[in-house]
Amino acid sequence: CPPLHPELLRLLENIGQEAVLAPGAQIYREGEPVSRFAVVKKGLVARKLGTYGAKSDNQIGLAGPGNIATGNLNIFSHRPAVGAYEAILPTSIVWCEHREFFEIARRNPDLFMLLATQCELSMLSDRLAFACLTLLNSEQAMKVVLLSWTSHFGHLEGDEVIAPRVLTRSIIRSVLGCSMGWVDRLAAEGGIVHYRLDILQEANEILCDLEEKVSGLPRPRDVRRYWQRS
């Protein structure tokens, strides 16, 4: 999912408050109405997939720094959470009540247009994620997950991206539905990994091809741009 636009994040930080979450702490329980707008400041939040009245440890969707922590499709709807949203690393979020955030944005046409654009991009991101899980094989999907992970937590050094190796086997199995041996080797817990750019470039080309016909805001073809944005 695209990170929250800097102007919207600035508004949220000005009117909201910060909360620090330990791993396993829930932002929303399954079935609880989503009434707050929250963004990850540090750490990682996952949505645990479930249905009403059923317990599940399956995680689908990861929100890193700058991403919405409470579900892209709950920005406007205030619907009950389908599944639970919880921290899977030590995490801090910035949040405020939906009503307060939107009341301020409504009074500023530029901010409101940014918010509408953010919502549209978030929905496109969700459709792209489901397309990846549906259309790609396990190896391709794993490379896309690695690109998302390293773009949040890695930095570029020459022809490699250096990132922490904190993708656990349980997360990979939950998100991708696979547990192949080579995936387990990539996901060994602890330590630092040097990811080759050619693997991440392949993942980026897959995403560019999937988005080509539907997105008016194409992602950069050169994967290095992910770490040169600032």
Side-chain angles (χ1 to χ4, degrees), residues 6 38 44 54-55 57 64-66 68 78 80 93 98 108-109 114 154 156 163 178-180 219 224 227-228:
L44 197 66
K55 298 293 184 182
D57 288 328
I68 298 168
H78 300 186
I93 62 172
H98 274 158
N108 185 319
L114 286 177
L156 184 65
C178 62
S179 57
M180 297 172 294
R219 68 178 66 235
R224 293 175 182 269
W227 298 277
Q228 296 170 344

Side-chain angles (χ1 to χ4, degrees), residues 167-199:
L167 274 172
T168 66
R169 292 176 179 85
S170 61
I171 293 173
I172 291 173
R173 288 194 184 101
S174 295
V175 174
L176 300 183
C178 62
S179 57
M180 297 172 294
W182 64 269
V183 171
D184 285 345
R185 288 195 297 274
L186 281 173
E189 299 181 29
I192 299 296
V193 178
H194 294 235
Y195 294 99
R196 298 200 327 256
L197 270 182
D198 60 332
I199 293 176

Side-chain angles (χ1 to χ4, degrees), residues 68-188:
I68 298 168
T70 51
N72 296 333
L73 302 182
N74 290 326
I75 297 177
F76 283 117
S77 68
H78 300 186
R79 289 183 175 184
V82 179
Y85 294 90
E86 68 176 45
I88 59 174
L89 295 175
T91 297
S92 62
I93 62 172
V94 181
W95 67 273
C96 73
E97 296 294 331
H98 274 158
R99 181 166 47 187
E100 183 179 6
F101 186 86
F102 293 131
E103 187 60 35
I104 294 174
R106 283 174 55 191
R107 296 198 296 263
N108 185 319
D110 291 335
L111 278 178
F112 196 77
M113 283 302 299
L114 286 177
L115 183 59
T117 301
Q118 185 80 37
C119 293
E120 186 171 354
L121 290 174
S122 295
M123 287 186 284
L124 173 62
S125 175
D126 278 359
R127 291 197 297 272
L128 181 61
F130 284 113
C132 287
L133 292 173
T134 303
L135 301 175
L136 303 183
N137 62 42
S138 295
E139 182 177 349
Q140 291 172 322
M142 180 64 198
K143 290 175 180 178
V144 170
V145 170
L146 289 178
L147 176 58
S148 178
W149 182 267
T150 55
S151 68
H152 278 110
F153 296 103
H155 65 276
L156 184 65
E157 283 191 13
D159 291 328
E160 296 179 323
V161 174
I162 315 301
R165 187 185 287 170
V166 291
L167 274 172
T168 66
R169 292 176 179 85
S170 61
I171 293 173
I172 291 173
R173 288 194 184 101
S174 295
V175 174
L176 300 183
C178 62
S179 57
M180 297 172 294
W182 64 269
V183 171
D184 285 345
R185 288 195 297 274
L186 281 173

Side-chain angles (χ1 to χ4, degrees), residues 35-89:
S35 62
R36 298 186 297 275
F37 186 46
V39 170
V40 179
K41 187 173 182 180
K42 179 182 179 182
L44 197 66
V45 169
R47 175 185 167 212
K48 281 195 171 182
L49 186 62
T51 55
Y52 293 119
K55 298 293 184 182
S56 173
D57 288 328
N58 289 336
Q59 293 156 331
I60 179 167
L62 303 173
N67 290 138
I68 298 168
T70 51
N72 296 333
L73 302 182
N74 290 326
I75 297 177
F76 283 117
S77 68
H78 300 186
R79 289 183 175 184
V82 179
Y85 294 90
E86 68 176 45
I88 59 174
L89 295 175

